[in-house]
Amino acid sequence: MKFITRFNLLISILLLFITIFNINMPITSAKEQKNTLTFSNGTKVSTLFFPYRDKVNQKIGTERSLQGMTIDAKGNYYLMYALGDKTTYGYIYKYNKKFKLVKISKKLRVGHGQAMDYHKGYLYQIVDVVGSKNYILQRIDANTLKVIKKWTIPAEIHPNVLAMESDTTAIVVSKTTSSNVLGEGYELNRLHIGENFRYTIRHPREKLRVDGLIGTTKGKEIQGFERTKDRYYILSNGEYTSFKHDGSDQQTVSLQTTREPEGLLFNSKGKMLVLFNKVNEVFIEQ
């Protein structure tokens, strides 16, 4: 009898251990198996990691939509999530190089939250709240994820994405449609900033114009932007295009997937990273 009681106790303890162990183990669904994509130019990218995504039964208005990503020299990843209707507030999630979530910012005013870049210890992000007369370029401490400086941007240029060229210059991209005098295309503006003033300075003569739009969906949405030492990269649904800093040698590549991308960038080793939402997934070049 004592043997049976002890045996039952051991079984109970074992079952309890298994239950606790399972609760703390990450559950990988069929949708979270590693994937590989091959672009039209032969570039192959495979799953690097799966960042946070909402639960299936997430309460309406509290959804966090993945909108963009940047990376620092140490390999930390900063992902922007827009909240609710994706027009005003959001959060920054910081992952280390081992893909462990190390910090979530407090709720920030970020607009759609798509335009963000890292530069020398800081995140730079454009707050594009719909209906505002001016947008805001804000500097965020990469360690605390707190806003420490702001500059106004004329909303008339409607910058969708940005990449930092230097400590004092941001490159932003605006899209023009067929209703524009110049027709469809992209306009890259340099926004100059300084510590002693609260607005950005833009010189029209520095603007780079690229004719034509890419993308496989009707809106030709801009989904990402990157600047390397010799080229610019603009991402849309289904395609990205790249060209030299003077606008020449433009090359367009098909992603060969219908999934919606939310960012394209390069790490310190020159490897391309592409971000997709819904089943939030970061891919890296092989």
Side-chain angles (χ1 to χ4, degrees), residues 104-135:
I104 302 174
S105 72
K106 291 184 177 181
K107 187 165 71 172
L108 300 172
R109 189 175 173 87
V110 298
H112 189 63
Q114 189 178 40
M116 181 173 68
D117 193 23
Y118 173 87
H119 185 73
K120 292 185 178 179
Y122 301 104
L123 301 174
Y124 291 83
Q125 194 268 328
I126 293 178
V127 184
D128 54 345
V129 176
V130 176
S132 299
K133 292 182 180 179
N134 293 297
Y135 292 164

Side-chain angles (χ1 to χ4, degrees), residues 12 14 60 87 99 119 121 140 150 166 170 214 228 263 271 277:
S12 298
L14 180 61
I60 295 175
T87 60
F99 322 124
H119 185 73
I140 300 169
K150 297 181 180 181
S166 69
I214 63 162
T228 64
K271 295 285 188 179
N277 68 9

Side-chain angles (χ1 to χ4, degrees), residues 188-199:
L188 282 67
N189 284 282
R190 280 185 169 80
L191 301 181
H192 301 284
I193 57 178
E195 300 303 315
N196 299 320
F197 49 91
R198 300 179 180 178
Y199 51 87

Side-chain angles (χ1 to χ4, degrees), residues 14-25:
L14 180 61
L15 289 172
L16 179 62
F17 174 78
I18 291 171
T19 301
I20 294 172
F21 181 76
N22 284 338
I23 288 173
N24 288 282
M25 283 294 289

